[in-house]
Amino acid sequence: MAVEEEGLRVFQSVKIKIGEAKNIPPYPGPNRMRDCYCTVNLDQEEVFRTKIVEKSLCPFYGEDFYCEIPRSFRHLSFYIFDRDVFRRDSSIGKVAVKKEDLQKYHGKDTWFPLQPVSADSEVQGKVHLELRLSEVITDSGVVCHKLATRVLECQGLPIVNGQCDPYAAVCLLGPSRSDAKKTKVKRKTNNPQFDEVFYFEVTRPLSHTKRQFDVEEEDVDKLALRVDLWNASNLKFGDEFLGGVRVPLRALGQSGIHDAWYFLQPRENGNKSVKADELGSLRLNIVYTEDHVFPSEHYTPLRELLLQSAHAEPVSASAAHILGEVCREKQEAAVPLVRLFLHYGKIVPFISAIANAEVNRTQDPNTIFRGNSLTSKCIDETMKLAGMHYLQVTLKPIIDEICTDHKPCEIDPVKLKESENLETNRENLRHYVDRIFNVITSSGVSCPTVMCDIFFSLRESAATRFQVDQDVRYTAVSSFIFLRFFAPAILSPNLFQLRPHHPDPCTSRTLTLISKTIQTLGSLAKSKSANFKESYMAAFYDYFNEQKYADAVKNFLDLISSSGRWDQKSIETPIMLKEGFMIKRAQGRKRFGMKNFKKRWFRLTNHEFTYHKTKVNLLLPYLLCPGEAALCSIPIENILAVERLEEESFKMKNMFQVIQPERALYIQANNCVEARDWIDILTKVSQCNRKRLSTYHPSAYLNGHWLCCKLSADTAPGCTPCTGGLPANIQLDVDGDRETERIYSLFSTYMSKLVKMQEACGSKSVYDGPEQEEYSSFIIDDPQETYKTLKLIVSAVQTLEQQHTQYKRDKFRKTKYGSQEHPIGDKSFQCYIRQQSESSTYSI
């Protein structure tokens, strides 16, 4: 989700590798071991949870998480929780990284010490305050000064124990000051509107009867206003602290007026000091990306230069190929290039061109496409994007079964457990391999057309280059579809969205053995048993050393690399696309009562959207146990729109609506990332429905009218245009301008290499001897054409660089600390003060 900033869109995304924790303090009992899991949070909102690692004080997770961040945030936080024997979760420690500090750790494996989790330090949200100092003349004619403090509103307060009933406590801090005042409690909202004013005496006349004192001018800087936010609780433990701010009165300046937003801060003594590593540490690799995307016309020169790459002669002189040459890792270049070419429908000619060039440089047919070249990385990325649905169809049901059944499949005699039988394990493994092999080799008709077109191109290039080797037309294709697509998906199903988490060690070992066997079956090697270093694997492979397996592989490869096209056949068996617990509101429109909101298990297939009372058994979708039958089933063709629901409808966050012909189903997801994912995939599967709506109601129908437009008829047409533009058939929604911006950023990062490549072109043009070592890493087939392209790239990058620089200057000039977009934080108050006049001193 992009944030609009004066014609510019800002996208945020984060990719996290959660490695391991170490030196977790032992459990205070005889067992001492802990069952730990880790969560990823935007501020305090959980968006991801790892699996539980049992009985360990140094748990290894090895899990990856990627998400587009749909809202603003202050901290990216990680919590380690322990689940005890009573299945209660207690926090052990946390890592909280401020948004502005994320770049320090970009792409680096870093050990972070765990910090204590305290209610006083768990703070999020911001508060809007207005302060005004005025002179007041008393009845006796004496002048004194009063401070009017207006608490306007708060945004983004945390929800504590499922509720937020906030109020603000306000007091003036200083010599002999202790008077405190409170706002009214605002029920069931974490965005309260207070708009209450409180008055405090800053100076008092000497004739004051209770206590005679005067505040000298030089002491005024010691005065400060304190505003604390609390959650009103009915529990005996008292109200919960939500955060506070301290505003020195010098912020008023000469004008005596101050109006600003503040980030809430933890209580000053809220975070107890702990020794390093007292709570252990957590290894993380964080890649946070913020893309600033200009209007499309800004990218025209660079975009057109890139899209011409497929037709450049030679292709090594093209802008896309040059990007692969200058990037440190080919993967860096492949990801945005593939997405850009897919978006503009030019991926097949581009990959065909770079693949043909690579084949012509290959000397041995046995090494074809075996390196980590730009070609192989681009094809990998294309398969991962275009083939995700294909994997769901073929592998997911059997992978789910393997992960659920936990059948022993260890065939290494050294690793065999005493209770296991080697022959039984071999039979279990052979059964799984046979099933996966059969489902793969019979799935050719489901292979995405774009993948088939690429495979046809690979086959033709390889067969033309190595005409003597009759098998190269197969190995060129199998090196991708088996070795780089099916085998990795079996090995790590969580990385291909087939499972939510990395499998447990026992299941992971089973999948490893299956993956190795499938990889060898698909490779069509001459001596397959020799491919295995382990004798037990070579012996196991003898089960499959029959001609029927080789024939099945060749038939499958022939089908997916055919030049003929076919329409995708409808698949009769429903494909499960997404599932999970969410909260739904009863579809009957009862006017009162929280009983309308129920936790339900939701399932989405390509046929229907259903919810159930309990979690559905994945392996028995049609033989449902009691309690698993669908309480509600919505055919996909009945989904007319899927849109967000405004928070004010039910005072609940992360809600969306699935609009049907008769009514809307209101649903609350667990967090903002999950809500966006459900909306995206529901929109995609229903995109082709003929009766899709063009308008909708962004708020609910309650108390006899729509809250958004106040119309009383529940059948009134929507008052807001529906969002749309997502492609059908579960394909990728690519933003071409965003991908071009990413490519510009890469060129900008590696500008020194572009200059070196220009020098290499000049050197090669005038000297045809051995290459200088510093230039030898570049592929330059035509120095003149390559130099021309480099000159155009540098020109386009410099133009965009100037636009980015100007944008940053303008933004810095317009940035006002204390605005709603840039609240004053613990470190930015001094920046705010510096924005005031240097001569601005507070005086009475």
Side-chain angles (χ1 to χ4, degrees):
M1 181 181 296
V3 178
E4 295 283 347
E5 286 187 6
E6 297 180 3
L8 179 137
R9 294 173 297 142
V10 181
F11 295 87
Q12 304 174 98
S13 63
V14 67
K15 182 169 66 174
I16 303 163
K17 183 179 283 293
I18 304 171
E20 60 189 308
K22 67 179 181 182
N23 301 329
I24 301 293
Y27 188 78
N31 184 14
R32 298 176 65 80
M33 293 292 109
R34 292 184 183 268
D35 298 342
C36 296
Y37 63 90
C38 178
T39 67
V40 180
N41 297 56
L42 293 174
D43 296 320
Q44 293 182 53
E45 182 181 13
E46 181 183 317
V47 295
F48 178 73
R49 179 180 295 199
T50 69
K51 65 181 182 298
I52 297 174
V53 177
E54 298 180 346
K55 299 177 183 176
S56 176
L57 298 180
C58 296
F60 177 80
Y61 298 106
E63 298 208 28
D64 296 271
F65 172 66
Y66 172 85
C67 77
E68 296 282 334
I69 300 175
R71 63 170 177 82
S72 59
F73 68 101
R74 287 178 66 191
H75 293 89
L76 185 64
S77 302
F78 305 83
Y79 291 76
I80 298 289
F81 286 93
D82 175 40
R83 175 162 290 185
D84 64 18
V85 292
F86 302 106
R87 298 187 67 80
R88 293 176 304 194
D89 298 344
S90 57
S91 56
I92 296 173
K94 71 173 182 179
V95 172
V97 185
K98 289 184 178 180
K99 180 180 177 180
E100 57 266 30
D101 293 337
L102 287 170
Q103 286 300 323
K104 293 180 188 176
Y105 312 105
H106 187 86
K108 304 172 187 173
D109 268 12
T110 307
W111 283 99
F112 293 90
L114 292 172
Q115 301 296 327
V117 177
S118 161
D120 287 344
S121 67
E122 297 296 285
V123 168
Q124 68 180 57
K126 51 192 176 183
V127 61
H128 187 188
L129 303 175
E130 183 183 288
L131 280 62
R132 185 182 297 269
L133 189 71
S134 57
E135 292 184 347
V136 178
I137 301 176
T138 64
D139 293 340
S140 60
V142 178
V143 176
C144 65
H145 296 81
K146 285 198 173 183
L147 178 70
T149 302
R150 186 181 178 196
V151 183
L152 289 99
E153 61 178 309
C154 292
Q155 286 187 357
L157 297 179
I159 296 174
V160 182
N161 298 322
Q163 68 162 25
C164 189
D165 298 329
Y167 69 88
V170 188
C171 65
L172 186 64
L173 305 174
S176 306
R177 306 300 176 110
S178 61
D179 45 345
K181 307 173 191 289
K182 295 180 181 179
T183 67
K184 295 177 183 176
V185 175
K186 299 294 181 179
R187 298 288 176 185
K188 296 179 182 176
T189 177
N190 64 341
N191 298 312
Q193 302 282 329
F194 294 114
D195 202 7
E196 295 189 38
V197 182
F198 304 100
Y199 294 93
F200 298 93
E201 288 182 324
V202 175
T203 60
R204 298 172 183 170
L206 288 173
S207 58
H208 192 268
T209 54
K210 290 186 179 179
R211 181 173 181 176
Q212 291 188 358
F213 70 93
D214 192 11
V215 178
E216 298 294 335
E217 185 173 326
E218 60 268 20
D219 293 328
V220 172
D221 278 350
K222 298 177 182 178
L223 293 177
L225 186 78
R226 177 83 194 179
V227 180
D228 290 332
L229 272 295
W230 297 83
N231 181 43
S233 174
N234 295 323
L235 301 175
K236 61 182 179 180
F237 304 111
D239 298 346
E240 293 98 353
F241 177 74
L242 300 179
V245 296
R246 185 178 182 276
V247 186
L249 289 200
R250 68 177 183 274
L252 289 162
Q254 287 184 329
S255 66
I257 300 173
H258 176 66
D259 182 349
W261 284 84
Y262 281 84
F263 278 129
L264 294 175
Q265 303 296 332
R267 214 176 336 215
E268 291 174 3
N269 61 349
N271 216 345
K272 300 175 184 176
S273 60
V274 292
K275 296 177 184 177
D277 294 334
E278 191 173 284
L279 296 176
S281 52
L282 180 64
R283 180 167 61 87
L284 301 167
N285 190 308
I286 304 170
V287 176
Y288 171 74
T289 306
E290 199 171 276
D291 298 322
H292 294 81
V293 182
F294 289 102
S296 187
E297 60 270 16
H298 290 70
Y299 299 103
T300 301
L302 182 58
R303 181 174 57 242
E304 289 182 352
L305 192 60
L306 290 161
L307 293 177
Q308 291 166 6
S309 296
H311 310 292
E313 288 290 344
V315 72
S316 60
S318 69
H321 194 279
I322 288 171
L323 180 66
E325 289 296 288
V326 298
C327 282
R328 187 182 59 182
E329 302 286 344
K330 303 294 185 188
Q331 183 75 9
E332 281 183 297
V335 173
L337 284 175
V338 165
R339 295 170 69 94
L340 181 71
F341 282 107
L342 270 173
H343 180 66
Y344 287 100
K346 297 191 175 184
I347 190 67
V348 175
F350 169 64
I351 288 182
S352 297
I354 60 173
N356 190 57
E358 182 174 333
V359 169
N360 289 333
R361 286 194 295 268
T362 304
Q363 301 303 316
D364 184 353
N366 294 317
T367 63
I368 194 166
F369 298 129
R370 292 302 172 96
N372 288 321
S373 62
L374 181 64
T375 304
S376 60
K377 290 299 181 183
C378 283
I379 297 176
D380 287 353
E381 192 63 24
T382 304
M383 291 191 300
K384 189 174 277 191
L385 294 176
M388 204 60 73
H389 183 233
Y390 180 34
L391 286 176
Q392 296 275 342
V393 176
T394 51
L395 293 184
K396 185 166 174 42
I398 182 65
I399 294 290
D400 285 337
E401 183 179 328
I402 293 168
C403 292
T404 305
D405 287 354
H406 299 290
K407 286 183 179 179
C409 294
E410 181 56 71
I411 59 172
D412 182 355
V414 177
K415 295 181 179 178
L416 206 66
K417 296 178 182 177
E418 289 184 10
S419 60
E420 294 176 355
N421 179 277
L422 185 59
E423 282 305 314
T424 302
N425 288 10
R426 278 181 182 157
E427 187 57 38
N428 290 340
L429 184 61
R430 183 170 63 173
H431 172 71
Y432 283 144
V433 170
D434 250 330
R435 287 181 59 189
I436 287 181
F437 178 82
N438 289 333
V439 80
I440 289 173
T441 53
S442 61
S443 69
V445 72
S446 302
C447 186
T449 304
V450 67
M451 288 172 61
C452 294
D453 290 344
I454 290 170
F455 295 150
F456 172 70
S457 173
L458 300 181
R459 176 190 179 114
E460 292 301 298
S461 291
T464 304
R465 175 76 172 88
F466 302 103
Q467 296 181 12
V468 178
D469 192 326
Q470 293 300 309
D471 281 339
V472 74
R473 68 187 63 209
Y474 295 115
T475 54
V477 178
S478 67
S479 63
F480 287 103
I481 192 70
F482 279 101
L483 273 65
R484 294 174 176 266
F485 186 62
F486 284 121
I490 295 166
L491 185 65
S492 303
N494 55 306
L495 298 183
F496 289 79
Q497 300 176 23
L498 298 177
R499 297 289 296 175
H501 299 298
H502 189 70
D504 61 82
C506 181
T507 305
S508 184
R509 173 64 176 164
T510 298
L511 294 174
T512 300
L513 294 172
I514 295 170
S515 179
K516 290 173 76 171
T517 311
I518 291 294
Q519 183 173 316
T520 306
L521 277 167
S523 68
L524 294 171
K526 301 291 189 297
S527 177
K528 295 176 180 178
S529 296
N531 286 353
F532 296 106
K533 297 177 183 177
E534 310 93 339
S535 57
Y536 62 85
M537 283 301 298
F540 174 71
Y541 193 81
D542 286 340
Y543 286 123
F544 306 97
N545 208 0
E546 298 179 30
Q547 189 60 36
K548 67 175 184 179
Y549 290 100
D551 291 343
V553 170
K554 287 185 176 181
N555 289 337
F556 170 67
L557 295 175
D558 279 334
L559 183 59
I560 65 171
S561 60
S562 165
S563 61
R565 291 172 173 265
W566 56 82
D567 293 329
Q568 290 281 27
K569 295 183 178 178
S570 59
I571 302 163
E572 294 302 324
T573 305
I575 304 158
M576 205 284 292
L577 302 173
K578 188 171 177 63
E579 61 183 348
F581 278 112
M582 292 189 288
I583 294 171
K584 66 94 188 176
R585 183 177 186 267
Q587 295 192 66
R589 295 196 180 96
K590 297 180 182 177
R591 293 180 61 180
F592 305 105
M594 284 300 292
K595 64 183 179 181
N596 283 332
F597 292 91
K598 302 284 187 181
K599 189 175 183 180
R600 293 289 181 253
W601 180 260
F602 286 81
R603 299 184 80 233
L604 174 65
T605 72
N606 57 332
H607 289 187
E608 61 182 355
F609 181 49
T610 61
Y611 61 77
H612 309 253
K613 193 168 187 179
T614 58
K615 183 176 180 178
V616 176
N617 188 330
L618 290 171
L619 304 180
L620 300 171
Y622 306 110
L623 301 173
L624 297 176
C625 303
E628 289 185 337
L631 299 175
C632 173
S633 174
I634 305 173
I636 295 299
E637 57 268 23
N638 281 2
I639 298 178
L640 306 184
V642 185
E643 300 287 348
R644 294 187 179 275
L645 187 70
E646 288 184 352
E647 189 177 323
E648 292 305 309
S649 295
F650 300 106
K651 307 292 184 185
M652 295 167 70
K653 299 174 76 70
N654 305 320
M655 290 200 73
F656 64 95
Q657 50 185 318
V658 179
I659 304 170
Q660 310 165 65
E662 299 297 323
R663 58 174 65 90
L665 173 62
Y666 299 133
I667 303 171
Q668 183 188 34
N670 295 316
N671 56 65
C672 61
V673 172
E674 189 175 296
R676 191 207 66 237
D677 288 346
W678 274 106
I679 292 169
D680 282 354
I681 196 165
L682 281 163
T683 301
K684 289 173 184 176
V685 296
S686 61
Q687 190 72 29
C688 292
N689 291 351
R690 287 174 293 177
K691 296 182 179 179
R692 277 187 64 83
L693 298 177
S694 57
T695 59
Y696 77 106
H697 292 283
S699 293
Y701 184 85
L702 290 174
N703 302 326
H705 67 274
W706 294 100
L707 299 182
C708 43
C709 56
K710 309 305 179 186
L711 294 176
S712 57
D714 61 355
T715 57
C719 56
T720 302
C722 286
T723 57
L726 290 168
N729 302 326
I730 326 273
Q731 291 177 359
L732 189 71
D733 183 28
V734 175
D735 186 320
D737 294 334
R738 185 181 181 187
E739 301 309 325
T740 313
E741 166 65 25
R742 286 178 167 176
I743 292 170
Y744 147 74
S745 296
L746 288 170
F747 275 135
S748 180
T749 301
Y750 295 108
M751 181 59 76
S752 61
K753 280 198 172 185
L754 289 173
V755 173
K756 270 194 175 181
M757 201 169 180
Q758 283 181 313
E759 293 171 0
C761 289
S763 173
K764 196 158 188 167
S765 295
V766 299
Y767 174 67
D768 201 22
E771 288 188 81
Q772 295 181 38
E773 189 176 339
E774 59 182 318
Y775 301 149
S776 61
S777 61
F778 300 123
I779 294 175
I780 302 173
D781 296 318
D782 187 324
Q784 284 80 16
E785 288 301 316
T786 305
Y787 188 86
K788 287 179 188 176
T789 306
L790 282 163
K791 195 172 180 181
L792 292 171
I793 291 171
V794 171
S795 173
V797 169
Q798 288 176 341
T799 301
L800 281 167
E801 188 78 56
Q802 291 169 2
Q803 290 164 346
H804 276 275
T805 303
Q806 188 60 46
Y807 161 74
K808 288 174 184 175
R809 284 198 195 115
D810 292 345
K811 185 176 180 182
F812 181 78
R813 192 168 60 247
K814 294 175 184 176
T815 295
K816 182 179 183 300
Y817 285 105
S819 65
Q820 188 173 355
E821 295 76 22
H822 300 282
I824 299 170
D826 51 349
K827 291 183 179 179
S828 59
F829 181 75
Q830 296 303 322
C831 298
Y832 173 83
I833 293 297
R834 281 198 297 271
Q835 282 193 345
Q836 314 302 310
S837 170
E838 291 295 327
S839 62
S840 178
T841 54
Y842 178 82
S843 60
I844 294 178

